[in-house]
Amino acid sequence: DAKTTQPNSMESNEEEPVHLPCNHSTISGTDYIHWYRQLPSQGPEYVIHGLTSNVNNRMASLAIAEDRKSSTLILHRATLRDAAVYYCILRDNTGNQFYFGTGTSLTVIP
Amino acid sequence: DTAVSQTPKYLVTQMGNDKSIKCEQNLGHDTMYWYKQDSKKFLKIMFSYNNKELIINETVPNRFSPKSPDKAHLNLHINSLELGDSAVYFCASNVRGRRQETQYFGPGTRLLVL
């Protein structure tokens, strides 16, 4: 039922930028794009979300393609604490459901 | 203070037993959820309650019964536990019907059925 596809895993060197891609080709015009991450042995936590425009917050940036069929989560300087599974999620038009994909497991190399 | 809390954190039990997992949120949210994360780490919604009323019930066996005594609590009762029920169960909450709202997750309950 997942509506997003992400690479299973990625690696990054510490203190380098990381670009985590997500495809959501069946996105509807009213779906919001959310990113969550799950640190080991913890529940998912919110990272960022957007609708059409690129978004920045203290944790990351979200770049949304013009056709909205893909997006990229950007961590500007990866730290060891950023090692987690990153989920790209579409929020349906009722706002009541999150469709989690398989996520991308990010490894940060010291 | 913990926003979404779950008890117990770990639960080990025998097949056929009945067990409950409790969830409480102190965020004043009106919608709460139960998710199941299996061994492959796939996270799937099971139930959603809004103000004590069931609004989402995905394809989940009848052995699973959520109960919401008030909008701050959503408990999950599981009857006749099976090996395949072993998973991590997460509770979450948010304000209903707003697609831009953040969803807050609990720390998870790790259930192992022997």
Side-chain angles (χ1 to χ4, degrees):
Chain A
D1 291 1
K3 298 181 175 180
T4 63
T5 54
Q6 301 173 251
N8 286 335
S9 61
M10 290 184 66
E11 283 186 356
S12 172
N13 292 319
E14 197 177 6
E15 299 191 2
E16 289 188 357
V18 184
H19 288 66
L20 298 165
C22 180
N23 287 321
H24 29 78
S25 58
T26 60
I27 191 171
S28 75
T30 55
D31 283 343
Y32 275 77
I33 302 159
H34 289 249
W35 282 81
Y36 280 67
R37 72 179 185 182
Q38 186 173 19
L39 300 171
S41 300
Q42 295 189 28
E45 64 175 358
Y46 170 81
V47 177
I48 201 167
H49 75 272
L51 183 62
T52 56
S53 303
N54 294 342
V55 184
N56 298 297
N57 66 20
R58 63 174 180 81
M59 288 181 73
S61 295
L62 176 60
I64 300 173
E66 200 168 326
D67 63 6
R68 302 211 326 126
K69 293 186 177 181
S70 65
S71 60
T72 302
L73 178 71
I74 303 165
L75 306 179
H76 296 287
R77 287 182 66 213
T79 70
L80 296 179
R81 288 172 296 178
D82 291 323
V85 177
Y86 286 79
Y87 293 98
C88 168
I89 301 156
L90 300 184
R91 196 78 180 267
D92 76 336
N93 58 6
T94 67
N96 292 327
Q97 282 226 37
F98 269 2
Y99 297 102
F100 278 82
T102 54
T104 297
S105 178
L106 176 66
T107 300
V108 180
I109 302 167
Chain B
D1 287 343
T2 305
V4 182
S5 59
Q6 297 178 227
T7 54
K9 187 172 183 180
Y10 298 96
L11 184 55
V12 181
T13 188
Q14 299 286 334
M15 263 177 35
N17 284 349
D18 302 339
K19 292 292 179 184
S20 292
I21 307 171
K22 296 185 177 181
C23 177
E24 177 181 1
Q25 54 94 4
N26 61 7
L27 299 165
H29 290 160
D30 48 15
T31 302
M32 296 183 70
Y33 306 80
W34 277 109
Y35 288 83
K36 178 180 179 181
Q37 187 168 45
D38 59 26
S39 57
K40 294 181 180 177
K41 304 297 184 184
F42 190 68
L43 199 62
K44 189 166 184 179
I45 191 167
M46 299 173 69
F47 301 102
S48 174
Y49 264 74
N50 176 256
N51 276 327
K52 302 191 296 177
E53 179 185 346
L54 180 67
I55 55 174
I56 294 173
N57 183 358
E58 293 294 313
T59 306
V60 176
N62 291 336
R63 300 181 294 102
F64 290 80
S65 52
K67 286 186 171 49
S68 182
D70 55 62
K71 74 173 192 177
H73 296 84
L74 181 62
N75 303 324
L76 184 64
H77 188 76
I78 315 170
N79 289 327
S80 302
L81 278 156
E82 299 178 357
L83 295 177
D85 297 333
S86 295
V88 183
Y89 292 84
F90 289 101
C91 178
S93 74
N94 66 258
V95 176
R96 182 189 182 188
R98 297 184 187 177
R99 287 161 290 137
Q100 69 276 28
E101 280 287 337
T102 298
Q103 195 160 91
Y104 292 85
F105 285 80
T109 295
R110 286 140 189 87
L111 171 65
L112 178 60
V113 182
L114 302 174

